[in-house]
Amino acid sequence: MLAWAEAHGAAAYVDDQVACNVGRSRGVRVHRTLQLVVAAYRDGVLSESKAQELISNLADMDARFPVAARENLFEWARSRNPPLI
């Protein structure tokens, strides 16, 4: 995924920290799943409850998110510096 994004000037959505670091070091725009879900909420694509449900379902399927984000995505997003929402 990172190689394709680099070759095509595209963004890559990855959650693995090492992959994020490698992508960024090679000039790839790297985004994470939590950023995508929060952006979908901000843009009106997902309601707050649907966004939280999505994160909970992904976490139940072994997605690795911060515990605080799994428990309350929006409280976590507001606590970031700068806040994501």
Side-chain angles (χ1 to χ4, degrees):
M1 179 182 339
L2 286 173
W4 189 92
E6 182 179 8
H8 293 89
Y13 286 84
V14 295
D15 287 317
D16 179 79
Q17 186 62 53
V18 173
C20 287
N21 292 344
V22 169
R24 288 180 179 136
S25 74
R26 299 189 58 87
V28 176
R29 287 174 294 140
V30 177
H31 304 285
R32 294 178 177 244
T33 303
L34 292 175
Q35 287 175 299
L36 180 64
V37 173
V38 169
Y41 165 75
R42 278 194 322 255
D43 294 343
V45 175
L46 290 174
S47 67
E48 189 169 322
S49 63
K50 288 293 184 184
Q52 185 63 58
E53 180 182 355
L54 175 58
I55 294 304
S56 296
N57 289 340
L58 290 171
D60 288 346
M61 296 177 68
D62 294 327
R64 297 179 186 212
F65 301 129
V67 172
R70 282 183 273 160
E71 292 174 353
N72 187 325
L73 174 64
F74 294 92
E75 186 175 300
W76 172 85
R78 289 181 187 103
S79 73
R80 309 308 304 154
N81 188 13
L84 298 176
I85 53 174

